[in-house]
Every structure is written in C-alpha cells, then in structure tokens.
Amino acid sequence: MKTRIRILLLEDNPGDVGLARSHLAEDGLECELVHADSRAGFERALEQGAYDVILSDNRLPDFDGGAALELARQKCAETPFIVFSGTIGEAAVVEMLKRGACDFVLKDSPAHLGPAIRRALAEAQERARRREAEQELRQQLTRINLLNRITRAVIERHDLKSVFATVAQQLEEQMPADFACISSIDPNSRAVIIGPRGPKARQLADRGDLPREGTAVDIGSTALEACLAGQLVYCEDLARDPSALMQKYWRTGVRSAVSVPIVIEGKASGLLYVGRSVAHGFSAAEVEFLKSLAEQVAVAAHQARLHEDLQRAFDELHLTQQAMLRQERLNALGRMAAGITHDVNNALSPIIGYVDLLLEADEPLSPDVREKLGIVRTAAGDMARIVERMREFYRQRKQSEPLQPVDLNRLVQQVVGLTRPRWRDEPQQHGLMVELESGLQPDLPPLPGIESEIREALTNLIFNAVDAMPRGGRLGLRSRVSHGAILLEVSDTGIGMDEATRERCFEPFFSTKGERGTGLGLSMVFGVMQRHDGHVEVESEPGKGTTMRLIFPLHQPTVPALNGRHVAATRLPPLRILVIDDELLLRRLMKDMLERDGHRVTLASGGQAGLEAFRAAQTRGQPFDVVITDLGMPHVGGAEVVRALKSESPATAVILATGWGSRFKTESLPDEMDALLPKPPTLNDLRQKLAQAVAMRAPTPDDPSQTATRP
C-alpha cells in the first residue's frame, strides 16, 4: 500500500469531517484529505485529480451518496468508494453495494474507517494486478495467434524468397511493425544479402538511400555483427549507433530495431530485421516473440531449401514428405500449447474444484442450478482435456487408456444444448434460420469411447456445418447401428466442397474460411476417430451440402487394471495436512476441498515455507499426516520438497500436484512421492490420491488411517 494516500471526502458536516480526519490520523494513515460539501464541489474535486479512496456521506442537502457513486463510477470507476454515514438502512446499504460501493462505515463506529480503507486499497491493488495479468495473457494469445497465422501463410510456400516475403508482410500488418526485412547471410563473408521486404519497408527504402534488394552489405564492425555468431541484437535507439549503415536506417524513419539471426543446422543463415518509428519501441515480450518467430522461420526456410534441393530427384517421395511435414507442424503446435498448459490448468482448478464443492454442499440445490453447475463442470473438464491433447492430434490411443460406455444419444442432446447460441441464436440475430433435424435411433447400444473427445469432435462438426450455411439451412444429426458399428452423421444444406477440398479437408491448417478459420477443427476430429479405432466418411458436392459420418466400431469398453498404487476414493478419518502451492487461489481451493471432508489444513506459499512449516510441526510433536505440494514453484520446487520430506520423515505421505500435464514424463518425477495429483483436481481425484498416499505410507503405531488424527 502507498505510504501516503489521497482521499476525497464528501461531507457537509464540519464536525464529521474533523471526526474522519482525527480517526485516520489515530489509525496511522498518512493521507491528504480533500473535502467537498456539495455536488458542485464534488464534481470539481473529481475533475482536479486522482484519488486512492472516496468517502461519501449518504445524505446531503442537495445531493446523496447514490448520485455521488454514479458520478464517481463515470469519472474514476476503479477508485474504491466507501459510504461513511450516520444512519443508513440495510436496504440502502445493499443497494449501494450492488451499484459499486466497496464498503460502508457508520459514523458512530469511526474506528472501523481505517481498516475499511486499508481493505479497500488492498482489494483495488489485487484487481489491478489481475487486470495486468489478463492483459498480458491477451497479448500472449495475440502473439500466438499471429505466429499461427504466419505459419499458415508460409505452410505451402516452398521457395525461400516467397517464405521470407510472406513473413515480412505479415509482421508489418499484424504485429504491427514499420519495417520488416529478411535477408540471407553469405557463408563466405561477413555480409548479408538484402532479401524481401514488407510493403512499408519498400516504401521507406524507395524514399531513402537504403541498399536495394539483392545487394550485399558488410555488417562487420556494426552492432549487427553479433548476429553472425547467432546472437539477437536489440537497438533501442538507432540515433545512438554511429555506424553508417544504422544511420541510413535512422534517416529513413526507423528509430528502434530488433535483429534476430535465423539459425539453420547450427549456423546463422539469415537475418530477421524488424523496426519501428519510435525509440525503445519493442517490449521484452515482443523481442522474445520475434526470437520464437525466427525459429519457426528457420524451420520453414530449412524445409524450403530441402524442397528446392530434392524436388527434382525425389518426386516419388512427395506424399511421404508431406505427411512428415504435417506431423512436424502438429508437434510444433503441441509444443506451443504445452507452454500454457500449466497456467490454463491452474486457472481451471478453482472452477472445477468449487463446482464440485457446490454440488456436494449440504444445502439442497434446485434441479435447474444443479443442471447448470453440471454444464459448467463438464465444459471446464473438457477444456482441461483439450489443452492436454492439443499437440496430439494423431496420437494413437494407448492400450492403457480406458474406454468407458458412452450414451451417444444423450451426448448429442447435450452438445445441441451447448451449441444452441451458435446454430440458433446468432443466425436469428441476422434474420436467418437454421432448422435442426434430429434422427437418433432409440435404444442405441453404449459406445465404448472417451466422452469428452467425442463431444469435442461433434461440437466442431456442428460449428463447421453452421459456417457452411451463411444464408441459413437445415442441420441434421442422426445416429444408428450398421454392420457392427455405430454411425453418427452431421449434415448441412450449405455450400458443399469440391473434390480438391474434400481431399485436403483433414490437413492441419487447411481452411476455406480465411482469417476466421484455424484449419485445425477437422484435424482434431480425425485424430479423435483414430484414437477410437474409427474413421470419418465425407459426402459433399458444391451447392448440395455436406455429410460428415463418424463410424465407431463396437467393442467392449476397457477399464484399466488396478495395481498396488490405485485405491478407491474413500472418505478417510480426519488428517492433519500441509498444502504447499505458490498460487493463492489454488491454496484456498485445496483448503476448502480438504476441510469439506473434515481434515485440518495448514497452507504454505512456497517450497521453503512448506519445509519450515513441516519441521516446525515435527518439533512441536504435531507432525503432518500428509503433505500435498505443487511441482512447479520458484526457488524450491516440488521435487526438491518431496525428496527433503521423505529423507526427514519416510512415514509421511507425500502427494505431488502438477498442472503441466503430459509435458512431464513419469521418469522426470521423484520416485519418493506416494501419489501424483493432476491439475485441475476434482474432489473425487483428491480423495482417491489421498487414500492412495495414506495406503502406501510406511506404517506407524498411531497410523491416522486406522485411528483419529492426533490432537
């Protein structure tokens, strides 16, 4: 909190002004108190400066707290607004809180004013931190989307010049940048061969005296020389670079520039040069993005060179080469997705955890509320699985991966409800109608499958069908059994596909929707069917619509065999549990879930704090029965915590929680752990892992799994 805060006080009673001032001083708050006693004075004060907190009486001769709150929301919506009134009814308090006030303090309890202000400031700071985090996430997603668009743009270009020109143009338009150029590095000298520029860069080059495309430029003895050794160079202000080459760029209007070497097979083979017309024009995140982009450009450039070198001699290997390229692109997408898996799973954990707690709450829920909570729970669970599978479109299902009986008709009806805004509400807003025709075979046998994957595939097919009917039409959903298989058909009366489009529709990144499409929906559907040992049939003609037919073989569901490390999710006697996690929301979630089952929970905000809490409990003679620690934490990580705890107290059950998903292999985890808890955790998962860890723990005379917890 700031050492000195600025407070605007709306109060017409001088005695109450003195009351507030004296109690704020007694409370130790260093503040500048700006006083207004009327509507006009309040409006002037709002115009004259920013405030950390606004205090307002509820009733003034020509004004009231509600009107003051409305003015404050218009002028400074994020500033905490506290009602400071002598008399105010409960209904008025509720109304003010609904309209945006953060707290209220009665004048006959002025000692509460200081704590209320501190609490309001702390909450405002937390909201500001969340906004910054959300903004950073949006920027990160925007950069990933840009990287995806650039990848799609160069995916079918096999000559080096076309790849470079496309990347330069996309950077100028989408990043945006004022100058983008990709040049080749001459391996026999210290020169770069000026390559394709973006449209903006060409205009600047034509107006100035920059080297023309194809010209060799010696970059020795310039700041760019480090690029020859594979190092990134960021010139924050070209005015400070005395070299003649950089001064030429400065005179054309480029004020800051990032130069990233394009490294192919360990050698700097090209140079990505991106500039802006302002000094210090690139953030650290943008510089890192350009570094990642250069790596992708290197892959594309390397592929282009291979294609140019081998095309004439190995035409017969064309189809095999294309298949390998597709898999490589999918793996690259999976690596990008894995980078945000941890954060997404952490964000989903409170949603899934608290929905589980609400569904198990002692207070009865109405059927409508329970149904909606179930929808939220299902959607969040699906999102967690989507993140986990994004890089595995063509992964074959492992034999150990269980197939459960799926009621396909019920799943279809569920997806219809989830997608209703897309196929009914949005078209109706534009005066269009999409008519749903359902033909589901009654008494359909259970389908052995993974419900979330089938639901995701069906959702993609429905969205594609709606997109194919820009003027409305009929959407058909049919299920039936035929020749030992279950068939699920999604049909539309839309624009249809020609033969060339049908042959390529399952290729990743292939899309006919332009910028609206990612080209990944049908690739995902294809991968789901492969993992279910099924296949997809496509019937389509231009102008006659499309039918996508999913064909699932009928066989017995598989359930993984239990071994010594799996224990049923039974309720345990009360345990003393230490939870270690650097995420505040996840600590609170774990505490609420565990206390729901009667356990006594202690929280620690990091690995070192957790070890100290564990040792302090041991010293007091009140050791913890179970420790649950996050894997990815700064300074002291979860693996280090597990090893330290087990070396000091082998009998203590230790559970390792992780949101990294499949990015971490089992052999990378510490052998000493008793159970692995994936994030986002469900209440049932937590109970099962807790029971598993307690069952595997070394036996002790006062084992809490046999008796109540120690006092």
Side-chain angles (χ1 to χ4, degrees):
M1 190 172 69
K2 295 166 61 177
T3 56
R4 183 174 177 83
I5 60 176
R6 196 161 188 256
I7 300 175
L8 173 58
L9 172 61
L10 175 61
E11 175 59 67
D12 64 329
N13 188 328
D16 289 339
V17 174
L19 177 69
R21 192 185 302 275
S22 63
H23 275 277
L24 291 176
E26 290 176 6
D27 200 73
L29 279 172
E30 294 187 22
C31 63
E32 174 190 352
L33 191 65
V34 179
H35 174 223
D37 58 4
S38 64
R39 180 187 186 103
F42 186 68
E43 290 177 341
R44 282 196 303 272
L46 288 177
E47 294 291 345
Q48 290 173 358
Y51 301 93
D52 298 299
V53 177
I54 297 176
L55 302 178
S56 173
D57 194 0
N58 191 45
R59 291 193 178 279
L60 289 85
D62 65 338
F63 206 25
D64 61 35
L69 175 60
E70 185 64 28
L71 284 174
R73 296 303 88 182
Q74 295 173 9
K75 298 292 185 181
C76 46
E78 300 301 328
T79 302
F81 189 100
I82 299 176
V83 180
F84 183 51
S85 179
T87 57
I88 183 169
E90 181 178 346
V93 170
V94 172
E95 180 61 25
M96 292 289 283
L97 293 177
K98 285 182 178 179
R99 293 170 62 181
C102 65
D103 208 343
F104 72 96
V105 177
L106 295 176
K107 291 180 180 178
D108 59 3
S109 301
H112 295 164
L113 191 56
I117 290 176
R118 286 190 172 90
R119 185 166 56 251
L121 290 174
E123 292 173 353
Q125 290 173 351
E126 178 62 22
R127 288 193 297 272
R129 283 193 292 269
R130 289 183 181 179
R131 286 194 301 273
E132 292 174 359
E134 291 171 358
Q135 177 65 20
E136 175 59 28
L137 179 58
R138 283 193 293 270
Q139 292 176 353
Q140 183 181 3
L141 292 176
T142 298
R143 290 189 288 269
I144 291 175
N145 188 36
L146 173 57
L147 189 60
N148 184 27
R149 287 199 298 269
I150 292 176
T151 303
R152 291 206 315 269
V154 304
I155 209 86
E156 295 179 354
R157 290 169 171 78
H158 300 300
D159 63 291
L160 209 55
K161 183 176 180 179
S162 176
V163 169
F164 289 173
T166 300
V167 173
Q169 179 177 346
Q170 289 288 321
L171 274 175
E172 289 186 349
E173 293 176 355
Q174 304 294 336
M175 190 172 183
D178 300 309
F179 192 101
C181 175
I182 303 182
S183 303
S184 301
I185 294 178
D186 186 348
N188 300 318
S189 68
R190 302 166 66 83
V192 296
I193 311 300
I194 301 299
R197 295 173 170 134
K200 296 180 183 178
R202 288 197 296 271
Q203 291 179 4
L204 291 177
D206 292 341
R207 292 201 303 263
D209 58 348
L210 294 181
R212 295 183 177 276
E213 185 175 337
T215 303
V217 178
D218 187 1
I219 61 174
S221 302
T222 71
L224 302 184
E225 185 176 13
C227 294
L228 298 174
Q231 299 178 23
L232 181 148
V233 175
Y234 177 22
C235 297
E236 297 181 337
D237 188 354
L238 266 64
R240 300 180 180 179
D241 192 320
S243 66
L245 178 62
M246 292 297 101
Q247 287 302 304
K248 286 183 179 181
Y249 281 99
W250 184 85
R251 286 193 294 271
T252 61
V254 179
R255 297 292 182 262
S256 58
V258 178
S259 304
V260 190
I262 298 172
V263 179
I264 300 177
E265 295 183 338
K267 297 181 179 179
S269 301
L271 183 65
L272 171 62
Y273 186 88
V274 184
R276 280 184 173 154
S277 58
V278 295
H280 307 280
F282 295 87
S283 67
E286 288 176 321
V287 173
E288 190 64 27
F289 164 76
L290 290 173
K291 182 179 179 181
S292 299
L293 175 61
E295 294 174 357
Q296 296 299 317
V297 173
V299 173
H302 185 50
Q303 292 171 350
R305 287 182 177 179
L306 288 176
H307 186 273
E308 292 173 350
D309 293 342
L310 299 177
Q311 184 66 51
R312 290 184 297 272
F314 298 102
D315 283 340
E316 67 276 12
L317 298 178
H318 177 70
L319 293 178
T320 302
Q321 182 188 36
Q322 290 301 308
M324 293 176 64
L325 290 174
R326 285 197 297 270
Q327 188 63 53
E328 182 176 352
R329 294 163 196 151
L330 285 173
N331 290 338
L333 180 66
R335 288 192 294 271
M336 288 189 290
I340 62 171
T341 295
H342 179 267
D343 293 336
V344 172
N345 283 335
N346 277 352
L348 288 173
S349 294
I351 299 174
I352 293 176
Y354 281 114
V355 167
D356 282 351
L357 288 174
L358 287 172
L359 290 172
E360 285 202 7
D362 296 332
E363 297 81 3
L365 300 175
S366 68
D368 182 60
V369 171
R370 185 170 290 277
E371 179 186 2
K372 287 180 170 57
L373 285 174
I375 292 174
V376 172
R377 175 67 175 77
T378 298
D382 286 352
M383 182 60 191
R385 297 182 188 94
I386 290 170
V387 171
E388 185 67 22
R389 294 196 315 274
M390 279 186 67
R391 62 176 181 167
E392 300 182 286
F393 287 123
Y394 292 109
R395 174 182 60 83
Q396 295 294 326
R397 181 177 58 85
K398 300 176 182 178
Q399 292 300 316
S400 60
E401 190 170 359
L403 298 179
Q404 301 291 347
V406 176
D407 185 342
L408 187 60
N409 286 345
R410 182 192 61 80
L411 185 146
V412 170
Q413 293 166 356
Q414 183 185 53
V415 173
V416 166
L418 288 171
T419 59
R420 184 174 285 109
R422 182 72 176 274
W423 62 261
R424 187 188 70 177
D425 298 346
E426 289 184 14
Q428 286 181 354
Q429 291 175 2
H430 297 88
L432 304 174
M433 176 66 69
V434 173
E435 181 182 353
L436 178 65
E437 296 181 348
S438 179
L440 305 179
Q441 176 181 318
D443 302 322
L444 203 67
L447 169 64
I450 302 172
E451 182 172 331
S452 63
E453 293 195 5
I454 300 173
R455 181 165 47 244
E456 182 185 348
L458 179 56
T459 299
N460 271 283
L461 292 179
I462 290 177
F463 286 170
N464 280 353
V466 174
D467 290 340
M469 298 185 289
R471 296 183 177 84
R474 293 190 302 276
L475 171 65
L477 298 172
R478 291 173 289 276
S479 66
R480 68 180 189 274
V481 176
S482 176
H483 300 92
I486 296 180
L487 278 59
L488 176 60
E489 295 180 352
V490 179
S491 62
D492 64 70
T493 57
I495 58 178
M497 295 183 284
D498 57 23
E499 182 178 356
T501 303
R502 289 198 306 272
E503 290 178 353
R504 300 190 57 196
C505 65
F506 294 109
E507 290 184 12
F509 306 115
F510 175 77
S511 175
T512 60
K513 303 177 186 178
E515 290 300 315
R516 294 187 302 112
T518 63
L520 296 175
L522 288 180
S523 298
M524 183 279 303
V525 173
F526 186 83
V528 168
M529 296 309 296
Q530 279 203 331
R531 287 192 289 276
H532 284 77
D533 300 326
H535 61 283
V536 188
E537 292 182 353
V538 183
E539 295 179 3
S540 184
E541 293 184 30
K544 295 185 179 181
T546 299
T547 296
M548 289 284 182
R549 186 175 298 111
L550 308 183
I551 302 176
F552 298 90
L554 274 174
H555 48 70
Q556 291 297 319
T558 61
V559 179
L562 294 177
N563 56 40
R565 297 186 64 88
H566 289 80
V567 178
T570 57
R571 296 288 184 95
L572 296 171
L575 301 170
R576 184 178 290 107
I577 300 175
L578 172 63
V579 174
I580 307 172
D581 201 302
D582 60 325
E583 294 283 347
L584 173 61
L585 285 179
L586 295 182
R587 293 198 301 273
R588 291 179 56 184
L589 169 65
M590 296 295 286
K591 185 174 188 294
D592 291 342
M593 294 173 79
L594 291 166
E595 288 183 345
R596 174 71 177 79
D597 287 348
H599 302 300
R600 296 172 61 186
V601 182
T602 299
L603 301 179
S605 60
Q608 185 60 43
L611 290 174
E612 292 172 358
F614 179 83
R615 290 161 182 161
Q618 294 282 91
T619 302
R620 292 194 305 268
Q622 296 178 331
F624 292 104
D625 303 310
V626 180
V627 176
I628 302 175
T629 178
D630 187 26
L631 174 61
M633 297 183 293
H635 307 305
V636 179
E640 186 177 347
V641 170
V642 171
R643 296 186 182 100
L645 293 180
K646 282 298 188 179
S647 67
E648 297 178 17
S649 178
T652 301
V654 181
I655 299 173
L656 187 64
T658 176
W660 293 105
S662 61
R663 190 178 181 184
F664 275 84
K665 298 181 180 180
T666 302
E667 55 266 24
S668 302
L669 300 173
D671 295 332
E672 296 89 345
M673 69 179 183
D674 296 303
L676 180 66
L677 177 65
K679 295 181 181 178
T682 66
L683 193 54
N684 193 60
D685 286 343
L686 182 58
R687 287 169 178 162
Q688 182 197 4
K689 298 302 181 182
L690 199 58
Q692 175 183 329
V694 170
M696 294 189 61
R697 188 182 49 164
T700 59
D702 53 348
D703 191 335
S705 66
Q706 305 297 327
T707 63
T709 188
R710 292 178 290 273

